[in-house]
Amino acid sequence: QLPTGLYKKVLVILHDSVLPYMNEPTLMIDFLTVAYGIGGAISLLALNGLFILIHQHNLEYPDFFKKLYSLLDPSIYHVKYRARFFHLADLFLSSSHLPAYLVAAFIKRLSRLALTAPPEALLMVIPFICNLFRRHPACKVLVHRPNGPEGMSEDPYIMEEEEPSESRALESSLWEIQSLQNHYHPDVAKAAAVLNQSLSEIEDDISGLLELSGYELFDKEVKKKAVDVPLEFEQVRGLFGKKNDIFAEHFSLD
C-alpha cells in the first residue's frame, strides 16, 4: 500500500525511467494491474506502463478495454494528465480489428461527456472521434442513422452500463455532436460541423491539440485583428430609421 502522492510519482516515471532498465519488466505486472484498478488519476498514470507490457511483453489483460471505458467520466476532460490519457487511448483504439460495438461505445461515451467539457478539450476530442470513424467505418451508422435523434423517443444508449457490449451504443445516434454545432465558441461549432460532410480518408493529427489550454484559446482570440463590421446598410434617418418618421420632426439623434 503506497500513499497516493507516492503512487503518482512512481507511475509518472515508471514507463521511461524504470521498465526499460529492468531485466524482467514482467515483474511489474501485478503492481501495474493493481494500480490500474484503483481508479482516478492513478489508473490514468498506470496506462503508460501497462501499454509497454502489453505491446512489448505480450501481457494479456482480458478486461483492459472495459476498465479503459470505465475511466471515461466527466473529470477526464479536466485532469492534468488529459493529454497522456488521450495519447494512449488513441494508440489502444488504433487497431482495425476491434469490434464495432466497442468503438461505438467509446465514441458515444466521449460524445456524451463532451456536452459539459471546456472548449479546449472539445477542439481535441472532436477530431479524436472523427479519427475513430475513419478507422472503423461500421460505426458511421451513429451519424447516418435515418431520421437521427428526431426518430427516437429516447436515446437507447445506457450511460451507466459498465460493460461496453451492453451499452447499446450502436443503436443510438450522435445527437451530442449535433448539439455542439451550436456551441458558443465558433471554433468548436466549426469542428463539430465536419461530421455533416463526408470525412476525408486522412486522419487528423491531434498531437498538437492534446496540450491545448484555455489560456491559449483566449490569447489567440485576443490577438485576432479586429474587422470593422457594418451594422447598418443605409444611414439612419430619424429615431427609428424610417424615411418618414414622425419622431424625426420632434427628436434628434445628436
Side-chain angles (χ1 to χ4, degrees), residues 194-237:
V194 170
L195 285 176
N196 289 341
Q197 308 162 358
S198 58
L199 293 174
S200 63
E201 294 183 3
I202 301 174
E203 290 190 9
D204 295 323
D205 183 12
I206 65 169
S207 58
L209 302 172
L210 294 175
E211 299 281 0
L212 191 63
S213 66
Y215 175 81
E216 289 174 330
L217 281 184
F218 183 80
D219 192 51
K220 178 183 175 183
E221 292 296 324
V222 169
K223 290 180 178 178
K224 281 184 177 179
K225 292 184 179 179
V227 179
D228 292 332
V229 180
L231 299 180
E232 287 287 348
F233 180 73
E234 58 183 36
Q235 189 174 358
V236 175
R237 301 174 184 176

Side-chain angles (χ1 to χ4, degrees), residues 30-50:
D30 288 341
F31 173 75
L32 285 170
T33 51
V34 169
Y36 190 45
I38 289 177
I42 292 178
S43 291
L44 297 183
L45 294 174
L47 276 173
N48 267 115
L50 276 177

Side-chain angles (χ1 to χ4, degrees), residues 15-61:
H15 66 286
D16 59 357
S17 299
V18 178
L19 289 179
Y21 303 100
M22 293 181 67
N23 291 329
E24 294 184 50
T26 51
L27 293 173
M28 300 302 295
I29 289 177
D30 288 341
F31 173 75
L32 285 170
T33 51
V34 169
Y36 190 45
I38 289 177
I42 292 178
S43 291
L44 297 183
L45 294 174
L47 276 173
N48 267 115
L50 276 177
F51 173 71
I52 291 176
L53 293 180
I54 292 172
H55 187 65
Q56 299 179 9
H57 301 282
N58 300 320
L59 169 64
E60 292 187 10
Y61 196 126

Side-chain angles (χ1 to χ4, degrees), residues 9 11 31 33 43-44 66 78 83 87 92 99 121 147 209 236:
K9 288 180 180 179
L11 292 171
F31 173 75
T33 51
S43 291
L44 297 183
K66 178 182 177 181
H78 302 272
H87 170 69
F92 293 136
N147 301 324
L209 302 172
V236 175

Side-chain angles (χ1 to χ4, degrees), residues 66-77 104-117 129 154-176:
K66 178 182 177 181
K67 179 61 182 175
L68 185 66
Y69 182 73
S70 70
L71 291 179
L72 299 180
D73 59 28
S75 68
I76 200 67
Y77 292 129
F106 274 91
I107 290 174
K108 185 65 181 176
R109 195 173 183 93
L110 287 170
S111 301
R112 180 66 59 85
L113 296 174
L115 293 174
T116 57
I129 290 173
E154 61 180 18
D155 193 340
Y157 174 68
I158 307 172
M159 182 72 174
E160 298 75 20
E161 177 58 54
E162 295 181 358
E163 183 62 56
S165 61
E166 303 294 331
S167 66
R168 299 178 63 189
L170 271 178
E171 301 173 31
S172 182
S173 68
L174 223 57
W175 60 265
E176 296 90 349

